Amino acid sequence: MIRLMIVDDETSIGTMLEKALVRSKDISVTYFDNPVTALSRFRKGEYDGVLLDIMMPQKDGISVLEEIKAKDPECIVIMMTAYSTLDKVLQSHKIGADHYILKPFDSLSNVEKKVRELVKERK
């Protein structure tokens, strides 16, 4: 079972990802629309990966990434954004992001495939 956290302030995107990923039956998803709440519930070893939006009003994804990696350096983090800048990509990779996905997604099955690939590599 792959345990995944999704953090995205856009509820429509978060719930769409959640519904698409849990269909496979071997992925469990916990979705948060508030990064502060997500961080308060994040525990080392509880999640195999996190799909994390970069641009959120309560707390930006880069600082959330830093806190996740401080708590659990082995947790896979895939950054998501509709506002791609080279600076943010480089910054997130330097902190430890494992991958970067642009929104809108070209395919939800590609998101699932990337999650599976990264979790398999890590285990």
Side-chain angles (χ1 to χ4, degrees):
M1 177 69 70
I2 296 173
R3 301 159 302 158
L4 194 62
M5 175 187 275
I6 297 172
V7 185
D8 195 317
D9 63 307
E10 293 181 62
T11 306
S12 61
I13 291 174
T15 55
M16 174 187 61
L17 277 169
E18 180 180 27
K19 287 177 184 175
L21 292 169
V22 297
R23 280 188 198 136
S24 65
K25 307 277 190 246
D26 69 333
I27 298 177
S28 68
V29 175
T30 306
Y31 166 62
F32 294 96
D33 63 1
N34 183 311
V36 176
T37 304
L39 280 172
S40 73
R41 305 258 176 86
F42 185 86
R43 303 285 179 267
K44 181 178 181 171
E46 189 171 339
Y47 297 99
D48 297 304
V50 178
L51 287 170
L52 177 61
D53 189 23
I54 288 183
M55 303 293 288
M56 295 179 283
Q58 305 92 340
K59 188 173 187 93
D60 83 328
I62 298 295
S63 59
V64 174
L65 170 64
E66 289 174 323
E67 290 187 49
I68 287 172
K69 287 297 186 173
K71 290 180 179 183
D72 189 352
E74 296 302 310
C75 185
I76 293 161
V77 180
I78 299 172
M79 305 302 288
M80 306 181 295
T81 189
Y83 309 100
S84 176
T85 65
L86 184 57
D87 180 51
K88 293 284 186 193
V89 172
L90 293 174
Q91 189 178 6
S92 65
H93 279 290
K94 185 184 257 187
I95 296 166
D98 296 276
H99 195 68
Y100 198 90
I101 296 175
L102 293 176
K103 295 190 279 184
F105 309 114
D106 60 345
S107 161
L108 289 173
S109 63
N110 284 344
V111 174
E112 179 182 347
K113 182 179 175 184
K114 183 50 72 175
V115 167
R116 289 181 185 285
E117 176 184 306
L118 291 171
V119 168
K120 185 178 179 181
E121 285 176 10
R122 191 64 48 98
K123 287 188 174 186

